[in-house]
């Protein structure tokens, strides 16, 4: 079978250090989002706060003006509530309410280098199955990040995410949907680079994992269908069956001696232990 040659941008350790600066800005925005999101707050207000944090850090919001051919994205975050999976545009009419599950996705650029990460936040008190869904999504992201430290090929990451989602589902007597239409991506001097990273797959597949790769790992899972639809605004992706979705994301870098989670304040050290790169430990 023919496969397009992957155009992967391999970074030097100095360049990865620059990406860490962007990652820390994103982490700071996440902290602000956790502190600000709650019942009665609109997603437009969250966007305003996020943009201020990004600019106060001397960084540039990467989503604002991003154009995939249908016109520029108008905001600095994507704020996807409940059945919205990703890419929902903040709005003053989208007022959060108790029980909502919110994904906030943020991208920032520092000196030309990108950071991109998302968190899922519970608004007030959510139904137990939504907490389980959020936890399953987070666990699968970390399973993928851990696999990045040891897997030979990209498929090892995808496979680890898929297996983790299945395991979490089984623990709750459920089968979560793993969204098929979207996935993670390479990242560097652009937000979206090769390779595309499916959230399911087989260990032997895909390009070889090598030091210098920077990857955005972003599982999207649902309480129901793995199929999605796009709303008329040209951006918002919703589950096709209206079931609630969760989405989390970290930007990571592969170094000679391990993984550096660039968008985690602690570099991923606590979660990864020995699999964390020494550079992550040093800062
Ligand atoms: Co991303």
């Amino acid at each position: 079978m023919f496969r397009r040659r992957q155009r992967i941008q391999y970074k030097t350790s100095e360049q990865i250090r620059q990406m860490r600066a962007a990652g820390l800005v994103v982490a700071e925005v996440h902290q602000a989002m956790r502190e600000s999101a709650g019942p009665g707050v609109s997603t437009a207000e969250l966007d305003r706060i996020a943009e201020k944090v990004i600019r106060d850090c001397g960084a540039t919001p990467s989503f604002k003006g991003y154009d995939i051919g249908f016109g520029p994205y108008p905001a600095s975050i994507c704020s996807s509530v409940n059945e919205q999976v990703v890419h929902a545009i903040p709005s003053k009419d989208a007022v959060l309410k108790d029980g909502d599950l919110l994904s906030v996705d943020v991208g920032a650029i520092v000196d030309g280098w990108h950071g991109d990460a998302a968190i899922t936040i519970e608004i007030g008190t959510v139904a137990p199955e939504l907490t389980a869904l959020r936890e399953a999504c987070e666990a699968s992201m970390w399973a993928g990040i851990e696999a990045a430290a040891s897997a030979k090929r990209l498929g090892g990451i995808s496979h680890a995410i898929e297996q983790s989602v299945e395991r979490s589902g089984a623990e709750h007597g459920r089968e979560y949907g793993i969204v098929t239409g979207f996935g993670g991506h390479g990242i560097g001097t652009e937000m979206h680079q090769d390779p595309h990273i499916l959230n399911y797959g087989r260990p032997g597949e895909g390009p070889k994992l090598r030091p210098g790769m920077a990857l955005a790992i972003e599982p999207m899972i649902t309480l129901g269908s793995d199929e999605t639809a796009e709303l008329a605004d040209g951006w918002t992706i919703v589950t096709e069956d209206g079931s609630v979705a969760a989405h989390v994301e970290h930007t990571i870098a592969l170094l000679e001696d391990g993984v550096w989670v660039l968008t985690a304040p602690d570099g991923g050290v606590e979660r990864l232990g020995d699999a964390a790169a020494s550079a992550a430990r040093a800062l």
Side-chain angles (χ1 to χ4, degrees):
M1 194 177 85
F2 176 79
R3 282 205 191 82
R4 183 172 69 78
R5 200 185 143 77
Q6 297 271 332
R7 287 179 291 263
I8 294 171
Q9 179 184 51
Y10 297 95
K11 286 86 174 165
T12 65
S13 9
E14 182 47 37
Q15 290 169 333
I16 287 169
R17 205 167 289 283
Q18 290 184 270
M19 288 186 71
R20 171 61 163 166
L24 285 174
V25 173
V26 170
E28 194 161 326
V29 177
H30 284 174
Q31 190 48 38
M33 297 294 97
R34 288 188 196 284
E35 287 163 11
S36 312
V41 177
S42 75
T43 56
E45 173 66 4
L46 294 179
D47 182 56
R48 191 190 63 73
I49 295 165
E51 179 165 357
K52 180 166 177 10
V53 172
I54 293 170
R55 297 205 189 273
D56 285 353
C57 290
T60 307
S62 51
F63 295 2
K64 205 162 197 175
Y66 187 77
D67 197 338
I68 43 171
F70 308 99
Y73 187 76
S76 299
I77 61 171
C78 301
S79 47
S80 309
V81 181
N82 298 338
E83 79 287 353
Q84 298 173 337
V85 184
V86 286
H87 302 171
I89 302 169
S91 160
K92 63 177 174 20
D93 300 324
V95 177
L96 298 168
K97 54 185 195 314
D98 191 59
D100 281 345
L101 199 63
L102 166 73
S103 137
V104 180
D105 195 340
V106 184
I109 311 169
V110 175
D111 294 332
W113 294 94
H114 286 249
D116 178 13
I119 50 175
T120 287
I121 304 173
E122 299 180 4
I123 304 303
T125 307
V126 306
E129 62 262 36
L130 299 193
T131 296
L133 180 73
R134 176 185 59 73
E135 289 174 348
C137 197
E138 289 170 359
S140 73
M141 175 185 67
W142 283 104
I145 294 171
E146 267 162 45
S150 53
K152 296 273 177 289
R153 288 183 181 273
L154 190 70
I157 297 177
S158 304
H159 182 71
I161 294 169
E162 179 180 14
Q163 283 212 311
S164 173
V165 173
E166 280 175 9
R167 222 178 307 124
S168 298
E171 278 166 23
H172 292 90
R174 282 187 175 274
E175 199 175 321
Y176 295 126
I178 301 179
V179 170
T180 52
F182 298 85
H185 48 94
I187 178 167
T189 51
E190 296 99 31
M191 174 164 56
H192 291 139
Q193 299 183 331
D194 281 344
H196 181 63
I197 309 173
L198 293 171
N199 289 314
Y200 50 88
R202 299 225 295 258
E205 295 170 339
K208 282 202 173 105
L209 295 179
R210 284 177 34 193
M213 282 178 147
L215 306 170
I217 308 291
E218 51 178 322
M220 288 149 260
I221 67 172
T222 83
L223 282 176
S225 172
D226 55 20
E227 303 267 328
T228 53
E230 188 184 287
L231 297 190
D233 63 17
W235 288 102
T236 310
I237 304 298
V238 296
T239 55
E240 127 335 292
D241 63 355
S243 64
V244 174
H247 166 230
V248 294
E249 174 178 21
H250 267 312
T251 294
I252 69 169
L254 310 191
L255 286 93
E256 295 286 351
D257 62 351
V259 171
W260 191 355
V261 185
L262 301 175
T263 44
D266 78 339
V269 168
E270 193 188 322
R271 288 296 290 246
L272 294 177
D274 289 346
S278 53
R281 249 178 275 277
L283 293 179

